[in-house]
Amino acid sequence: MSQNALASLDPDIESPFPTLIAPHGGVLKERYVAADEAERLRHHSANLLAIDLGTRQLCDLELILNGAFSPLEGFLVQRDYDRVVSELRLADGTLWPVPITLDVSEDLAARVKPGDEVALRDSQGVPLAILDVEDIWRPDLEQEAQQVFGTLDTTHPGVAELLLRTRPVYVGGRVRGIQAPVHYDFAELRDSPRSLREWFVERGWRRIVAFQTRNPMHRAHRELTLRAAQKVGANLLIQPSVGRTRPGDVDHYTRVRCYRALLPQYPNGSAHLSLLPLAMRMGGPREAVWHAIIRKNYGATHFIVGRDHAGPGKDARGQPFYGPFDAQHLLERYQHELGIEVVPFPVMVYAANRDTYVPATEVAADDDVRDISGTQLRQHLHEGSDIPEWFSFPEVVRILRERHPAQAPRGFAVLFTGLSGAGKSTIAQALVARLLEHTSRAVTVLDGDEVRKHLSKGLGFSREDRAANVTRIGFVASEIVRHGGVAICAPIAPYADARAEARALVEAHGDFVEIHVSTALEVCESRDRKGLYAQARAGKIGHFTGISDPYEVPERPELRVDGNGAEPGVLAGHILDYLKRRGLLE
């Protein structure tokens, strides 16, 4: 199909970037340069300062480059950022609810200035784009969290990412795309906005209702999406987020297999599965508006919004972060300028006496309503107990059981953090001994000194190097946990953001337990057989935690123990009891 069958280029813009005007979803701005220019930029990038992008940044860059984040042409500059945070709009007044920012370290920020070019690379060092730097500033991250997420509670995954793991300087500017990030999984399902729009046109789909999800879909989801499509007379686009979701969610490989197994349950040719490489922020109402704009860019004409859309659950006090219909209300407020029609839909519930699913708004007083929560489903899978057919389809349950076999132990990591001499390594060794008295599970110790000798050899003690050390520990621990093992980690880990990064790595696969060994500084000094504290106080050792470098005390660790308050074996026993209460040990 020729491009003109779908779109036309904007004649008023002399630019190497195509501006697509399509029958579905309006203007689409792509940021990839032509092949010959891309080859030139690839070679040119070798001479530029480079930024290796993290998972969120990679997802954001991909969706900027392919036009899914239209009208964005790069990472936000300060004038756009300020207005997005305060008003859900870009500086020119265009509706845009979520800050798309590129955060960098103080060290890198000191080496770049407006007008510079910076290479943006993936984790393998492959250049993906050139950033033309326009703006550099230090944002107020607490204000951003309060305005965008409505809270400073780091129980919220988006707030935790922002306050604990975001680097202190933002760099903004337009990007020029060299190549797309490479995905080796489910390549045939990874449509760009352009290719998906072409697919719709080729099949004559004119009304498309999109459904966002980050969880496996069961019978209730099938009923909801089918009824929503029938209500508006549209075909269905199932477009799950597979870039990054919430820690602890089912991995996207398993979820996509489940979606594929579900497709035959729809009328033939009425539903299409396409993957969205989106790094979710779990931002509730604002995120719902964002999701709608993205689906418009992919060519959808309608967007399903259910109860508590993109909500992260409950806060530290046990209260929901957002009201159940806050997202629907915010979307209604901006419906006239979204460019896509919002389809609010109630939760579908199973009425056993009628043997059918009904909208929650239509439940009668005498209905026998049944449901299985996510926690209950995980319990069924762990126990190997029956999952009712009214809840899910056998094909979907089979895939979930393969991924989560009955009685399989869930991996976890324990991170001890505290000052040098606090007793972390001693308590960790005592815990390992107690663990092996009670279980035959594989237990791996990542001690601070041993890690420094091998895994982190060559790193110094600057803030960046200390963070890199803890991140490496978190990565190794996450791999241990992913395979059902137990990782016991005992670094100093003085900085909250590095500890949070380690937590995020581990919680993608299992459980994370942070234990603050809160031994007083004077006790730690009295235990110092090597005289390190004395040398630090004399200025002979720099960057020494507790003396010349700070220790950021954990605000909400799972446990806090005084390394001078009891014998290590007794403290290990208390920790073991906690692990049992958490259900991490039988």
Side-chain angles (χ1 to χ4, degrees):
M1 173 179 294
S2 70
Q3 179 173 302
N4 288 336
L6 176 71
S8 62
L9 293 177
D10 187 336
D12 297 324
I13 300 176
E14 293 185 6
S15 169
F17 307 107
T19 302
L20 198 66
I21 304 173
H24 298 306
V27 174
L28 178 73
K29 294 186 177 182
E30 298 171 327
R31 298 298 297 173
Y32 289 109
V33 299
D36 56 346
E37 175 66 2
E39 187 61 26
R40 187 191 72 79
L41 290 179
R42 185 176 290 107
H43 290 291
H44 178 55
S45 69
N47 302 313
L48 300 177
L49 183 67
I51 299 174
D52 293 335
L53 302 180
T55 302
R56 174 183 58 80
Q57 297 168 333
L58 278 170
C59 291
D60 288 350
L61 178 63
E62 181 172 1
L63 296 178
I64 292 169
L65 293 176
N66 70 16
F69 280 179
S70 295
L72 301 193
E73 298 179 344
F75 292 97
L76 295 186
V77 295
Q78 187 173 8
R79 62 182 179 278
D80 287 320
Y81 165 82
D82 288 343
R83 196 166 179 196
V84 167
V85 168
S86 62
E87 301 178 49
L88 289 78
R89 296 188 183 278
L90 300 173
D92 66 3
T94 303
L95 180 66
W96 189 267
V98 174
I100 306 300
T101 55
L102 180 59
D103 58 302
V104 301
S105 67
E106 294 275 10
D107 178 64
L108 190 143
R111 299 161 60 197
V112 67
K113 63 183 183 302
D116 285 352
E117 297 174 309
V118 175
L120 304 181
R121 307 188 304 197
D122 68 13
S123 60
Q124 304 300 312
V126 176
L128 303 176
I130 302 296
L131 171 70
D132 296 313
V133 178
E134 299 176 42
D135 226 345
I136 306 168
W137 76 101
R138 286 162 179 75
D140 183 335
L141 296 179
E142 288 197 354
Q143 181 186 31
E144 180 180 338
Q146 190 66 61
Q147 294 273 19
V148 175
F149 299 110
T151 181
L152 297 179
D153 185 347
T154 53
T155 307
H156 189 301
V159 175
E161 168 80 12
L162 184 63
L163 298 186
L164 303 181
R165 295 190 287 278
T166 297
R167 288 165 290 195
V169 182
Y170 285 172
V171 177
R174 291 180 174 86
V175 294
R176 290 173 282 160
I178 298 172
Q179 68 177 70
V182 176
H183 299 285
Y184 296 104
D185 60 315
F186 307 115
E188 73 283 6
L189 298 177
R190 291 184 177 272
D191 300 291
S192 68
R194 177 186 288 268
S195 68
L196 189 56
R197 290 178 175 197
E198 290 175 346
W199 192 93
F200 293 151
V201 171
E202 287 170 356
R203 284 154 184 79
W205 285 24
R206 296 186 175 278
R207 294 171 67 84
I208 301 102
V209 60
F211 179 66
Q212 149 77 28
T213 182
R214 55 174 244 272
N215 294 308
M217 293 174 64
H218 302 290
R219 289 186 184 270
H221 302 96
R222 186 260 187 189
E223 288 296 321
L224 185 155
T225 52
L226 185 59
R227 293 188 186 208
Q230 292 171 341
K231 177 182 177 180
V232 298
N235 292 99
L236 174 66
L237 170 64
I238 300 173
Q239 195 177 41
S241 293
V242 297
R244 190 186 64 181
T245 57
R246 183 178 180 175
D249 282 350
V250 176
D251 65 276
H252 81 269
Y253 300 99
T254 301
R255 289 192 288 116
V256 174
R257 294 174 61 209
C258 290
Y259 304 139
R260 279 177 159 171
L262 183 73
L263 278 181
Q265 303 299 330
Y266 292 94
N268 187 39
S270 67
H272 181 64
L273 173 64
S274 182
L275 309 185
L276 179 67
L278 177 71
M280 293 183 65
R281 273 62 165 183
M282 305 303 299
R286 281 197 184 221
E287 181 131 350
V289 175
W290 190 40
H291 289 176
I293 294 170
I294 293 168
R295 274 32 183 244
K296 173 194 70 176
N297 288 330
Y298 271 93
T301 58
H302 296 71
F303 181 58
I304 300 170
V305 181
R307 187 179 186 276
D308 194 25
H309 185 101
K314 296 181 179 179
D315 62 20
R317 300 169 300 162
Q319 300 300 312
F321 280 103
Y322 308 115
F325 304 109
D326 285 357
Q328 293 184 5
H329 295 329
L330 190 64
L331 280 160
E332 288 170 1
R333 176 179 169 186
Y334 294 109
Q335 175 68 84
H336 66 286
E337 58 182 309
L338 272 173
I340 185 171
E341 186 174 334
V342 175
V343 184
F345 223 86
V347 173
M348 302 296 295
V349 297
Y350 180 69
N353 53 305
R354 296 195 246 173
D355 189 26
T356 189
Y357 275 88
V358 297
T361 53
E362 299 177 13
V363 172
D366 59 347
D367 278 333
D368 178 12
V369 175
R370 299 182 186 180
D371 189 21
I372 294 178
S373 68
T375 300
Q376 291 170 324
L377 176 59
R378 288 190 292 273
Q379 188 67 23
H380 279 298
L381 293 170
H382 179 70
E383 295 173 351
S385 52
D386 288 340
I387 297 172
E389 282 211 21
W390 60 259
F391 175 76
S392 192
F393 297 95
E395 298 86 350
V396 172
V397 171
R398 189 177 306 117
I399 293 167
L400 292 175
R401 289 199 189 281
E402 288 176 3
R403 178 63 182 86
H404 302 282
Q407 306 304 321
R410 180 173 170 85
F412 65 91
V414 177
L415 177 79
F416 290 93
T417 174
L419 297 172
S420 177
K424 303 180 298 298
S425 296
T426 305
I427 300 169
Q429 290 294 342
L431 177 61
V432 170
R434 295 298 304 275
L435 282 170
L436 295 178
E437 286 180 355
H438 290 82
T439 180
S440 59
R441 295 176 65 178
V443 179
T444 302
V445 179
L446 298 172
D447 181 72
D449 290 340
E450 290 299 310
V451 167
R452 281 279 182 180
K453 186 183 299 183
H454 303 291
L455 182 64
S456 293
K457 186 176 182 179
L459 289 181
F461 292 90
S462 66
R463 184 176 184 118
E464 291 75 17
D465 281 0
R466 286 182 182 274
N469 178 55
V470 174
T471 299
R472 291 180 187 184
I473 291 172
F475 172 74
V476 174
S478 74
E479 289 298 295
I480 293 167
V481 168
R482 184 162 68 94
H483 295 287
V486 178
I488 307 297
C489 314
I492 293 174
Y495 299 116
D497 55 356
R499 296 193 299 263
E501 179 69 22
R503 178 184 290 272
L505 287 167
V506 170
E507 287 185 337
H509 305 293
D511 289 277
F512 185 88
V513 177
E514 182 180 31
I515 300 177
H516 175 213
V517 184
S518 61
T519 313
L521 176 61
E522 57 270 20
V523 174
C524 296
E525 288 196 66
S526 70
R527 293 174 172 178
D528 182 18
R529 291 174 294 180
K530 297 179 182 179
L532 299 178
Y533 276 100
Q535 293 181 61
R537 288 195 181 278
K540 296 178 181 179
I541 298 178
H543 299 293
F544 196 87
T545 301
I547 304 299
S548 53
D549 260 14
Y551 177 79
E552 297 174 0
V553 175
E555 293 183 4
R556 282 185 290 273
E558 279 72 12
L559 287 175
R560 203 183 303 273
V561 300
D562 182 353
N564 196 44
E567 291 296 317
V570 174
L571 295 174
H574 295 329
I575 296 167
L576 191 71
D577 290 342
Y578 171 80
L579 297 176
K580 289 179 179 177
R581 292 196 302 273
R582 274 277 295 265
L584 300 176
L585 295 172
E586 297 297 332

